[in-house]
Amino acid sequence: SGWKVMCATTSTWGTAPLVAADDLPRLSAPTILVIGNEETGVSDEILKLSDTNVHIPARADIPSHIDSLNAGVAAGVVMAAIRFEGE
């Protein structure tokens, strides 16, 4: 139906490319953004459906003992990075 699926994950499982949030291409189709929970992430069943997997790259100003963000923060970071064709 023209919809794309994008999963926020650190997993490299599946066939969808893993892209840094800063490097997301402009979206040209309606897109469903899937955010997994903090404990188990996105399920393998949903990752199988993903067209693109996006991760939030580590930055120098994030302490090294932090390996993940809560789901709400991760969603905000990824949504802020999304751009659509024509913008």
Side-chain angles (χ1 to χ4, degrees):
S1 64
W3 284 83
K4 300 291 184 179
V5 176
M6 178 187 302
C7 294
T9 184
T10 58
S11 174
T12 56
W13 187 91
T15 58
L18 183 63
V19 179
D22 298 340
D23 298 328
L24 279 175
R26 290 186 181 270
L27 302 180
S28 59
T31 301
I32 298 166
L33 175 60
V34 179
I35 306 290
N37 68 42
E38 290 92 350
E39 187 174 325
T40 59
V42 178
S43 73
D44 289 347
E45 291 174 327
I46 299 299
L47 285 170
K48 287 179 192 176
L49 302 173
S50 185
D51 297 294
T52 303
N53 292 332
V54 59
H55 73 96
I56 300 167
R59 295 178 18 173
D61 57 345
I62 297 176
S64 61
H65 67 278
I66 296 175
D67 63 355
S68 66
L69 301 172
N70 85 18
V73 171
V77 170
V78 173
M79 286 187 286
I82 292 175
R83 300 289 179 260
F84 293 91
E85 284 188 0
E87 286 188 326

